[in-house]
């Protein structure tokens, strides 16, 4: 059994390694289990078992310098990389059907159906993060109260709603008109685009569709952030 002071010592050590709380909880469990095993199997004192455990995790918890973003430990970088790959995979599963549907509607449907479909998707990916941010305002606010100790690996996503509002102001003007242009671009009928340069129209189309992809990716991270915040709330009482 561990005393309260020993558990606090382990937790404070892991906090010093700038571990987000969700990862800290997992690593904390590993530390306790490993220390306990060393005490039992090698007949070590708590202090010696703790030092040996720290040594075995030294490489994983070493904070590495980064030119882009915050300095983080190797384990956090690996976890974030894995998470991003998972989010990209999920994003593609949502985005590709939308992209295929846009192509099919532009080539085998009429312009009105395409405009409604395209505009609805674009508005949805901009509005959803704002709704999430307002609905879970307390959870996002909680993240701001723990700037020194990140709640989870996606804490940087907590300003996403503000970004969405900015994009609404930038791209919502004449959205139906833009959708009409996209219809002709995707169907290869550039002659119908009379009020904008062909190259600029194509670049705008590509940019809008990339924004849709990016927003789907960030919405998935936003949802995951909320789930993980709820998981770490009980642990925050110990900090």
């Amino acid at each position: 059994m561990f005393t309260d002071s020993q558990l606090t010592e382990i937790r404070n050590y892991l906090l010093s390694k700038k571990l987000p709380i969700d990862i800290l909880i997992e690593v904390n469990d590993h530390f306790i289990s490993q220390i306990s095993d060393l005490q039992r199997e090698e007949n070590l004192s708590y202090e010696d078992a703790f030092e040996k455990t720290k040594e075995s995790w030294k490489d994983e918890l070493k904070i590495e310098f980064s030119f882009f973003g915050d300095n983080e430990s190797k384990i956090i970088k690996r976890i974030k990389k894995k998470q991003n790959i998972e989010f990209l995979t999920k994003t593609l599963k949502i985005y590709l059907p939308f992209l295929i549907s846009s192509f099919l509607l532009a080539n085998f449907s009429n312009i009105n159906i395409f405009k409604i479909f395209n505009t609805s998707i674009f508005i949805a990916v901009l509005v959803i993060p704002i709704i999430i941010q307002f609905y879970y305002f307390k959870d996002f606010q909680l993240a701001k109260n723990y700037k020194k100790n990140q709640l989870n690996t996606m804490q940087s996503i907590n300003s996403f709603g503000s970004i969405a509002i900015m994009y609404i102001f930038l791209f919502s003007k004449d959205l139906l008109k833009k959708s009409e242009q996209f219809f002709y671009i995707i169907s290869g009928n550039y002659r119908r685009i009379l009020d904008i340069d062909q190259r600029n129209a194509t670049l705008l189309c590509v940019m809008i569709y990339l924004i849709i992809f990016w927003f789907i990716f960030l919405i998935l991270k936003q949802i995951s952030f909320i789930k993980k915040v709820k998981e770490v709330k009980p642990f925050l009482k110990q900090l």
Side-chain angles (χ1 to χ4, degrees):
M1 293 291 294
F2 292 86
T3 65
D4 289 341
S5 62
Q6 289 171 342
L7 292 173
T8 300
E9 183 181 17
I10 295 170
R11 186 170 62 249
N12 288 340
Y13 171 75
L14 295 176
L15 283 170
S16 72
K17 298 301 179 181
K18 297 184 178 180
L19 293 178
I21 305 302
D22 60 331
I23 305 302
L24 186 148
I25 294 171
E26 294 183 26
V27 177
N28 187 73
D29 289 340
H30 285 296
F31 256 67
I32 291 173
S33 177
Q34 191 169 334
I35 292 170
S36 181
D37 289 342
L38 287 170
Q39 286 179 297
R40 183 181 64 257
E41 295 170 4
E42 300 185 20
N43 196 28
L44 296 177
S45 65
Y46 159 77
E47 290 77 12
D48 291 337
F50 184 32
E51 289 300 320
K52 194 166 184 177
T53 300
K54 286 195 292 185
E55 186 63 29
S56 68
W57 282 81
K58 184 178 179 180
D59 188 51
E60 285 289 282
L61 296 178
K62 182 180 179 182
I63 297 174
E64 298 179 338
F65 175 77
S66 175
F67 285 102
F68 309 100
D70 299 326
N71 298 340
E72 295 174 324
S73 60
K74 185 180 293 184
I75 188 173
I76 297 303
K77 288 183 178 180
R78 187 173 67 249
I79 288 171
K80 283 187 175 181
K81 183 179 179 180
K82 182 182 177 182
Q83 287 175 340
N84 284 330
I85 291 172
E86 291 174 352
F87 284 124
L88 282 171
T89 302
K90 291 178 181 178
T91 302
L92 284 171
K93 288 180 179 179
I94 298 172
Y95 182 75
L96 287 178
F98 155 71
L99 199 62
I100 293 169
S101 297
S102 295
F103 177 82
L104 292 175
L105 289 173
N107 287 276
F108 302 103
S109 182
N110 63 65
I111 189 170
N112 291 325
I113 294 176
F114 178 87
K115 284 166 66 175
I116 293 171
F117 174 78
N118 193 79
T119 303
S120 299
I121 294 296
F122 187 68
I123 291 174
V125 298
L126 290 177
V127 171
I128 288 172
I130 299 173
I131 293 173
I132 292 174
Q133 189 120 15
F134 275 101
Y135 190 80
Y136 294 101
F137 176 78
K138 290 183 179 179
D139 290 323
F140 285 103
Q141 195 63 32
L142 186 65
K144 292 181 180 180
N145 296 334
Y146 287 88
K147 290 182 179 179
K148 291 183 179 180
N149 305 118
Q150 289 190 12
L151 300 185
N152 58 56
T153 52
M154 282 156 286
Q155 188 149 321
S156 59
I157 205 73
N158 61 8
S159 60
F160 182 37
S162 302
I163 297 172
I165 293 173
M166 179 189 72
Y167 272 92
I168 285 177
F169 283 115
L170 285 175
F171 294 102
S172 61
K173 185 180 178 181
D174 297 327
L175 193 55
L176 285 172
K177 184 64 177 178
K178 290 185 178 72
S179 293
E180 181 178 339
Q181 294 168 351
F182 299 161
F183 176 84
Y184 294 126
I185 291 168
I186 296 172
S187 61
N189 193 355
Y190 282 94
R191 293 182 180 180
R192 298 296 300 272
I193 306 174
L194 302 177
D195 61 343
I196 190 170
D197 178 79
Q198 177 176 318
R199 180 182 176 186
N200 290 338
T202 304
L203 287 174
L204 179 62
C205 180
V206 171
M207 183 168 66
I208 292 292
Y209 276 79
L210 286 176
I211 287 172
I212 290 173
F213 178 89
W214 183 60
F215 265 71
I216 293 171
F217 175 81
L218 292 177
I219 287 169
L220 291 174
K221 293 190 76 171
Q222 197 180 35
I223 293 170
S224 181
F225 168 83
I226 295 298
K227 289 180 179 179
K228 288 185 175 292
V229 165
K230 294 186 183 301
E231 292 174 4
V232 305
K233 275 183 179 180
F235 191 85
L236 296 179
K237 297 176 183 178
Q238 302 177 36
L239 298 180

